[in-house]
Amino acid sequence: MKTQTVLRLNIAGLIITLLTVAAALVWAFPLYWGVISSLKPEDEVVRPYVELWPETLTFSHYIFALTQTQIGVWYINSIATALGVTVLTVSSSLLCGYAISQLEFPLRKSFWWLILASFMVPTQTLIINHFELIASMKLLNSWAGIILPQLIHPVIIIVYKQFFDNVPKDFREAAVMDNASEWRILTRIYIPMNWGVTTALSIVVFIWSWNAFLWPFLAVTKTEMMTITVGITQVNDSFGVYYARELSAAVLAGLPVALAYLIFQRKVTQAVTLSAGIKG
Amino acid sequence: MLRNRRIEGLMALALISPFLAIYGLVFVYPTIKMFMLSFTDAPLIGAGDWVGLENYERLPRDRRFHTSLWNTFYFIVLTVIPGTLIALAIALGVSRLKGWLQSFVLALFFLPYILPVSVVYLIWDWTLNFQFGIAMHLLDWLGLDRVPVTKSTDWFMPAIGVVTIWWTAGFSILLLLAARRAIPVEIYEAASLDNSGGWSTFSRITWPLMWPVTALVLTIQLILQMKIFDQVYLFSQGGRPNDNMVLVYYVFQRAFQSNQGGRAAAVAVVLFFIVIVVSVMNFQLTRLSRGRDK
């Protein structure tokens, strides 16, 4: 009786395992198909039947994308703007989160509610006024113009505040006894104790910013100022109907974030759960 | 030894000032301007005359506004609940796997989420390509007619829905997997001693314990999908943009293609309130349901 149940469970478990793995392979198939198509010669890509592995493997589309388009400049723009957004967002949020968590100041509670509330405001609705603002500051087609409107991430402050709240009070009291300044307490105790959070949050903010589309798309009109996510969608004309070339550009644009994810898998999953307000 | 309150206050002000400066410049100021702009007939850039509520009065008679409202709603119906259920099923499947196989399978499901929308667009545009797309080969193989997915009004939104679920499910899967892992093993051991079957274990233990996070995922998905633009815009190029209009797209079109800043701002204000009302309602509902389960 008992062994029968165990056996039944095992078979059910095995079926679920197989189904999950099969679903994962189907799920990832478009990615595989995109990558593999980008490695085929153009005439092989448009064959009327399915070939799961290329007859001739070629990197010519990648060479074309790297040499004949401005993808190199777009990479630089993406790296510069994503780094700018990351550094500014994480550092200003860290300081703000620390002040709310550890310091007494007038209107502290209201300020905290303001941050929680702004979490709900859709920044997409502000595009017209962002455009007006950035244009009046003469920052269209500049890195600063791409960066500025992307700096509203109240969730980062929320996460920092929660983590700083959890640092044991003894550390702070001991430091105050030693007459350590507020700045010293922050940089010697609170920041080092939360390095893990800082790296995790930095990685996700970087990925968010690298992937941003709507604002960089509006803020830039000059091809040489585009970020890579915008750039690769604007070159259809110069690519014509060369599918494999388009796909190789897509792979080049997705590669940095995909690699960042595979290298920092743990940190990314940690940061994603944190940013949803679940402590992991 | 008590610290000087005033010094602490000044320190706090110094620490929050970088954020305050950014916040004021790119959040508070544009929000106020958006409301003011919606009462004028200004172009995208430059001054206009005060027209009162005229921009709002136009909306009920505006066909494209209707389309965008309807499509946004339709898109939410297509993605939010189905997407969450799919993510839940995947998370439960993944939670049964062990070691490297679990990491590997999770990575396959999660990878699309971290890709830029334009990469997702190019990959799916190729997958759904009418002539050469592998999805069309699949339709042939199933004996069905090919569909010009992104050029067809009927199939456009469902197709964008599938692409969006594929693209964003990784996030939901991760949260639901964390919730499943947080359920103590002892509860399942006790259930298996009671000879509880698969379905009753799920409906009596897993589902109730996972409901708070599932509700959170639904909320996040709902708020996210109300603001959809990128996918629709990218797939509409060369298609029928006016049929595929969603709210953010309409704001974009009025402002940047028709050069009507005031009229665009009125639509933006409407969207602004829809998102806030839905967020607050959701927040309350989630709180209520959490309270019930605890």
Side-chain angles (χ1 to χ4, degrees):
Chain A
M1 178 68 190
K2 184 99 194 185
T3 43
Q4 213 177 4
T5 326
V6 171
L7 201 68
R8 201 179 66 209
L9 277 178
N10 276 348
I11 291 172
L14 187 70
I15 291 173
I16 294 176
T17 302
L18 289 177
L19 276 178
T20 311
V21 174
L25 295 175
V26 172
W27 198 268
F29 187 77
L31 290 179
Y32 169 81
W33 189 239
V35 173
I36 215 71
S37 304
S38 74
L39 293 167
K40 292 175 181 176
E42 210 61 61
D43 62 317
E44 225 180 290
V45 166
V46 296
R47 280 183 189 167
Y49 47 89
V50 177
E51 271 176 331
L52 291 178
W53 190 252
E55 221 172 81
T56 11
L57 215 60
T58 170
F59 286 95
S60 62
H61 309 301
Y62 287 88
I63 295 165
F64 178 89
L66 287 168
T67 55
Q68 303 299 309
T69 74
Q70 286 175 290
I71 213 163
V73 196
W74 300 336
Y75 261 124
I76 294 171
N77 293 335
S78 275
I79 291 169
T81 53
L83 274 181
V85 171
T86 308
V87 170
L88 290 171
T89 304
V90 172
S91 56
S92 67
S93 305
L94 184 153
L95 298 179
C96 197
Y98 178 77
I100 297 174
S101 160
Q102 299 297 322
L103 301 177
E104 274 300 328
F105 60 94
L107 297 176
R108 190 178 70 117
K109 266 262 143 60
S110 341
F111 185 57
W112 173 239
W113 278 107
L114 189 78
I115 289 169
L116 285 178
S118 63
F119 189 39
M120 294 179 179
V121 173
T123 47
Q124 280 90 338
T125 56
L126 300 177
I127 48 174
I128 316 160
N129 309 89
H130 280 156
F131 188 81
E132 209 186 356
L133 176 76
I134 296 301
S136 71
M137 292 166 84
K138 304 248 180 297
L139 288 177
L140 293 177
N141 287 307
S142 79
W143 287 351
I146 301 173
I147 291 171
L148 263 179
Q150 288 192 56
L151 299 177
I152 321 171
H153 289 301
V155 64
I156 308 293
I157 299 180
I158 298 170
V159 174
Y160 266 122
K161 191 223 171 230
Q162 285 174 344
F163 272 85
F164 289 152
D165 281 350
N166 287 337
V167 173
K169 289 278 172 260
D170 312 0
F171 288 95
R172 185 176 182 80
E173 281 159 17
V176 171
M177 285 295 185
D178 290 347
N179 251 329
S181 70
E182 206 57 65
W183 181 252
R184 210 177 147 80
I185 297 175
L186 169 64
T187 52
R188 293 294 159 84
I189 300 174
Y190 283 79
I191 297 179
M193 283 186 81
N194 290 290
W195 266 133
V197 186
T198 301
T199 25
L201 294 177
S202 303
I203 294 163
V204 284
V205 175
F206 187 87
I207 292 176
W208 286 343
S209 177
W210 182 277
N211 291 352
F213 180 80
L214 178 55
W215 177 250
F217 163 71
L218 295 174
V220 171
T221 48
K222 290 184 185 155
T223 316
E224 71 273 15
M225 281 311 297
M226 284 173 181
T227 61
I228 194 158
T229 40
V230 178
I232 58 165
T233 65
Q234 303 290 305
V235 287
N236 296 342
D237 300 340
S238 57
F239 282 168
V241 283
Y242 298 111
Y243 300 110
R245 277 184 196 169
E246 271 189 359
L247 289 166
S248 67
V251 173
L252 287 172
L255 206 57
V257 275
L259 287 178
Y261 167 63
L262 294 175
I263 296 169
F264 301 110
Q265 206 169 346
R266 275 235 165 118
K267 285 279 167 205
V268 174
T269 52
Q270 186 201 355
V272 166
T273 38
L274 283 180
S275 69
I278 298 178
K279 292 223 171 158
Chain B
M1 196 177 80
L2 255 168
R3 293 212 148 190
N4 190 331
R5 279 278 139 126
R6 252 186 70 190
I7 293 183
E8 195 171 311
L10 284 175
M11 183 69 195
L13 185 66
L15 292 180
I16 61 173
S17 58
F19 176 77
L20 272 184
I22 295 170
Y23 198 68
L25 183 70
V26 296
F27 186 76
V28 180
Y29 172 73
T31 308
I32 296 168
K33 286 282 283 206
M34 171 178 74
F35 280 90
M36 284 162 59
L37 187 66
S38 73
F39 299 113
T40 70
D41 62 0
L44 176 59
I45 302 252
D49 291 326
W50 187 266
V51 294
L53 289 171
E54 198 189 304
N55 293 326
Y56 292 97
E57 283 159 7
R58 279 168 189 258
L59 291 178
R61 287 174 278 123
D62 185 342
R63 205 185 65 85
R64 268 187 274 169
F65 178 71
H66 283 269
T67 314
S68 63
L69 206 58
W70 163 249
N71 276 341
T72 305
F73 173 73
Y74 182 39
F75 181 75
I76 287 170
V77 171
L78 283 171
T79 54
V80 176
I81 292 176
T84 304
L85 288 179
I86 290 170
L88 180 65
I90 292 171
L92 292 176
V94 172
S95 75
R96 298 190 67 106
L97 305 177
K98 302 260 165 352
W100 68 269
L101 185 64
Q102 188 180 54
S103 317
F104 175 70
V105 167
L106 183 61
L108 292 185
F109 282 118
F110 190 72
L111 257 177
Y113 173 68
I114 50 121
L115 292 178
V117 65
S118 38
V119 172
V120 170
Y121 158 67
L122 287 174
I123 283 173
W124 278 92
D125 197 42
W126 172 234
T127 305
L128 300 170
N129 185 289
F130 186 68
Q131 266 181 298
F132 313 111
I134 193 144
M136 298 303 139
H137 289 301
L138 185 67
L139 288 180
D140 289 348
W141 185 70
L142 291 169
L144 300 167
D145 284 339
R146 291 186 172 206
V147 189
V149 182
T150 56
K151 303 256 188 308
S152 128
T153 311
D154 292 342
W155 290 102
F156 187 85
M157 277 294 155
I160 302 295
V162 170
V163 172
T164 305
I165 290 175
W166 182 82
W167 182 34
T168 59
F171 179 76
S172 316
I173 292 170
L174 217 54
L175 298 192
L176 291 165
L177 188 61
R180 172 61 186 78
R181 280 178 180 154
I183 301 176
V185 188
E186 294 81 31
I187 298 183
Y188 286 103
E189 279 167 358
S192 77
L193 283 180
D194 291 346
N195 246 332
S196 169
W199 176 251
S200 73
T201 309
F202 173 78
S203 63
R204 292 200 202 144
I205 300 172
T206 314
W207 174 254
L209 287 174
M210 284 181 75
W211 169 245
V213 176
T214 312
L216 178 75
V217 168
L218 280 169
T219 307
I220 295 174
Q221 278 287 321
L222 179 61
I223 294 167
L224 183 78
Q225 308 306 3
M226 272 192 286
K227 300 181 282 190
I228 179 194
F229 167 79
D230 303 354
Q231 307 94 295
V232 174
Y233 173 76
L234 287 170
F235 278 99
S236 294
Q237 288 175 311
R240 301 178 188 184
N242 286 350
D243 291 340
N244 308 329
M245 197 66 71
V246 284
L247 286 166
V248 180
Y249 195 161
Y250 191 41
V251 175
F252 161 77
Q253 200 190 48
R254 276 269 171 246
F256 293 88
Q257 291 176 342
S258 313
N259 195 25
Q260 293 169 313
R263 290 187 63 182
V267 181
V269 168
V270 172
L271 176 62
F272 182 93
F273 280 117
I274 294 179
V275 173
I276 288 181
V277 166
V278 173
S279 303
V280 171
M281 261 169 46
N282 244 296
F283 183 68
Q284 292 296 342
L285 285 177
T286 321
R287 272 229 309 224
L288 283 179
S289 64
R290 279 191 192 202
R292 194 193 64 205
D293 286 321
K294 264 175 192 168

